[in-house]
Amino acid sequence: MTVVPDIFPEKTDRRAILSWALFDWAGQPFFTLITTFVFAPYFASTLAATPAQGQSLWGYATAAAGLCIALLAPVLGSVADASGGRKRWIFVFSIPFLICCWAIWYAAPGNPHAIAIALTAFAIGTLSIEIATVFNNAMMPSLVPPARIGRLSSFGWAIGYASGLVTLVIALGFFAASPETGKTLLGFKPVLGLDAATQEGDRVVGPFSALWYLVFVLPMFLFVPDMPHKARLGPAIRKGLHDLAGNLSRARSNRNIFVFLLANMIFKDGLVALFAFGGIYAAGQLGWGSIEIGTFGIILTITGVLGLVLGGPMDDRFGARPVIVFSLIVLMICGLGMISIDKTTVFFVIKTQAAPEGALLASLPEQVFIGLGAAIGAVSGPLQACCRSLLVRLAPHEHMTQYFGLLALSGKVTSFLAPLAVGVVTALTASQSAGMSVILVFFAVGLILLLLVKERPGG
């Protein structure tokens, strides 16, 4: 039996807390398996004509989804606050999400519509799960007192990271196999008779993510208390849009919230680019394939969980802002270290010998790269968890969904800028390291702005 850690007061409903956190557990495979480590590399290397074309098309789909999220999230959040009830909105957006996950299976080699299916399913699936997450986040203040928001947020993120780790091990160990050997990362033949030659193991992560979500999102619907319905949809839309305009104006006039949302916009752009190009950079600079990248992903996920275990108590003790500041400093230091590495060089000037042929992650550059990546994984989770707990402390609770919509807006509205900057600088310099260095600028500017934000102790 799963038990929520003893971090909440007795008066809180632990079953509701665990059920709320299981939403992150339910949705994480989409981000881990489809967006990052399994399906996205398959799309770029197999479906697209070239990896460069695949990266470009994937970027366009990501930008399209981000733009739609930016437009819809704050509006729908305002409507939900006016009408009451967050669960029905999560239900509405869960339906297209499940359909899109299942559609991933049909993006098969040889299918003339495979690229269109993959990009459409990815973009609409991303839009759906991100919007649903806005409503799930907005339920946080009803679950714990303000002094426990940081631990609740980190607990949810940790549950999500753990889900990513479990599903990544399942996918790489039992589904996805090398076309050359026909074996998975654990040395097995793919289960369910999945054909390695046509990379069915890479595509089955779509239906697998759908089933995983369907099973584990149910406790949220059953056991998490929801707001009462306050108005019919028509009047709620009019009131919600009116309230949104007022909140946008108040956000601009509220220096704390405005500067925080601006900082969040900038450093989240950098984080999006870091994860979008991290695997590509490792493949180009270190010559890694799917096994190495998959192993790297597992390590990052493990350190992410460990970071969240520490990040929640640190958030509640010292505040969310100091944890975010520390995380950004670590990201900049480790990011600088990573761009200093290639197959035979560490920290720009230290020359090393190449690893023996066939040795897995045996060279010094690879090991240093993994160490730096592990540190990035450890602070990335607390960074994102503390952003939503900081917003809870800054925003008025009666308009919480609207402000989480604005948080989603700030995190997505310019999400194309950092990846675009990386691409342009890489093209101009013909250097992956120079291109990736742009990300450090986004972290630095976001950090400077965040230092101007004042956090209310305890909410």
Side-chain angles (χ1 to χ4, degrees):
M1 179 179 178
T2 305
V3 179
V4 180
D6 189 19
I7 58 175
F8 304 107
E10 287 297 324
K11 64 181 180 180
T12 60
D13 185 341
R14 299 187 179 204
R15 183 176 66 175
I17 290 169
L18 177 59
S19 299
W20 172 85
L22 282 176
F23 177 88
D24 284 331
W25 174 278
Q28 186 60 37
F30 179 85
F31 301 105
T32 300
L33 303 182
I34 295 175
T35 301
T36 307
F37 292 115
V38 179
F39 185 76
Y42 156 78
F43 174 85
S45 62
T46 302
L47 293 185
T50 65
Q53 183 198 55
Q55 179 178 312
S56 177
L57 292 173
W58 199 257
Y60 294 147
T62 303
L67 178 61
C68 291
I69 294 165
L71 295 174
L72 290 177
V75 174
L76 291 174
S78 297
V79 174
D81 280 337
S83 65
R86 277 78 180 247
K87 289 183 183 179
R88 61 177 175 177
W89 293 96
I90 296 175
F91 177 79
V92 166
F93 283 94
S94 294
I95 294 173
F97 174 71
L98 291 170
I99 293 172
C100 289
C101 286
W102 203 273
I104 290 293
W105 170 258
Y106 299 99
N111 183 341
H113 306 295
I115 290 180
I117 291 171
L119 294 176
T120 302
F122 166 67
I124 297 178
T126 300
L127 168 65
S128 301
I129 191 62
E130 291 279 9
I131 295 292
T133 300
V134 168
F135 297 112
N136 189 68
N137 287 344
M139 291 193 272
M140 291 171 61
S142 66
L143 295 173
V144 296
R148 299 289 181 175
I149 283 291
R151 299 190 192 194
L152 175 65
S153 185
S154 292
F155 178 58
W157 274 100
I159 288 288
Y161 268 55
S163 174
L165 174 61
V166 171
T167 54
L168 185 58
V169 170
I170 292 173
L172 295 175
F174 300 99
F175 296 157
S178 168
E180 289 78 21
T181 65
K183 298 293 183 63
T184 68
L185 180 62
L186 298 180
F188 302 141
K189 287 186 176 296
V191 299
L192 306 175
L194 296 170
D195 185 4
T198 59
Q199 295 180 262
E200 289 183 342
D202 295 320
R203 293 184 284 119
V204 80
V205 298
F208 174 71
S209 298
L211 293 173
W212 188 273
Y213 181 85
L214 189 62
V215 170
F216 291 108
V217 79
L218 289 177
M220 185 277 299
F221 286 109
L222 295 174
F223 303 122
V224 178
D226 200 2
M227 290 179 62
H229 296 284
K230 295 185 288 189
R232 292 185 177 181
L233 189 58
I237 291 175
R238 290 191 293 272
K239 184 177 187 303
L241 292 175
H242 179 269
D243 289 348
L244 173 62
N247 278 327
L248 286 171
S249 176
R250 281 190 291 272
R252 289 195 300 270
S253 62
N254 186 318
R255 181 178 179 276
N256 256 353
I257 293 179
F258 179 76
V259 174
F260 167 63
L261 291 175
L262 185 61
N264 179 74
M265 178 184 74
I266 294 172
F267 65 67
K268 284 286 181 67
D269 282 2
L271 202 60
V272 166
L274 181 63
F275 283 106
F277 291 96
I280 297 171
Y281 183 80
Q285 295 294 93
L286 299 173
W288 281 1
S290 59
I291 291 179
E292 291 86 354
I293 292 175
T295 303
F296 184 60
I298 291 172
I299 293 171
L300 261 66
T301 306
I302 292 173
T303 60
V305 173
L306 296 176
L308 285 162
V309 169
L310 298 174
M314 293 299 99
D315 181 339
D316 287 332
R317 182 174 181 181
F318 301 110
R321 196 191 74 148
V323 178
I324 299 173
V325 168
F326 174 77
S327 299
L328 288 171
I329 292 172
V330 172
L331 285 172
M332 288 189 290
I333 293 173
C334 293
L336 181 62
M338 293 181 93
I339 64 175
S340 74
I341 295 172
D342 60 29
K343 288 182 180 180
T344 59
T345 307
V346 177
F347 304 133
F348 296 112
V349 296
I350 301 175
K351 295 297 181 180
T352 66
Q353 293 184 344
E357 188 69 26
L360 180 64
L361 305 177
S363 72
L364 179 61
E366 289 176 312
Q367 293 168 357
V368 173
F369 192 89
I370 289 172
L372 294 170
I376 287 174
V379 299
S380 296
L383 170 67
Q384 297 174 87
C386 288
C387 282
R388 63 184 182 185
S389 64
L390 179 56
L391 181 66
V392 169
R393 295 181 177 120
L394 296 177
H397 289 186
E398 65 272 19
H399 299 298
M400 192 57 62
T401 317
Q402 297 174 28
Y403 278 97
F404 269 110
L406 293 176
L407 183 68
L409 171 66
S410 71
K412 295 293 181 181
V413 69
T414 60
S415 59
F416 64 92
L417 279 182
L420 178 62
V422 171
V424 170
V425 174
T426 302
L428 292 175
T429 63
S431 167
Q432 283 188 287
S433 295
M436 290 291 286
S437 67
V438 176
I439 296 174
L440 304 181
V441 177
F442 283 80
F443 290 147
V445 174
L447 173 61
I448 292 170
L449 289 172
L450 189 70
L451 293 175
L452 303 176
V453 175
K454 305 294 184 183
E455 180 176 2
R456 295 198 307 265

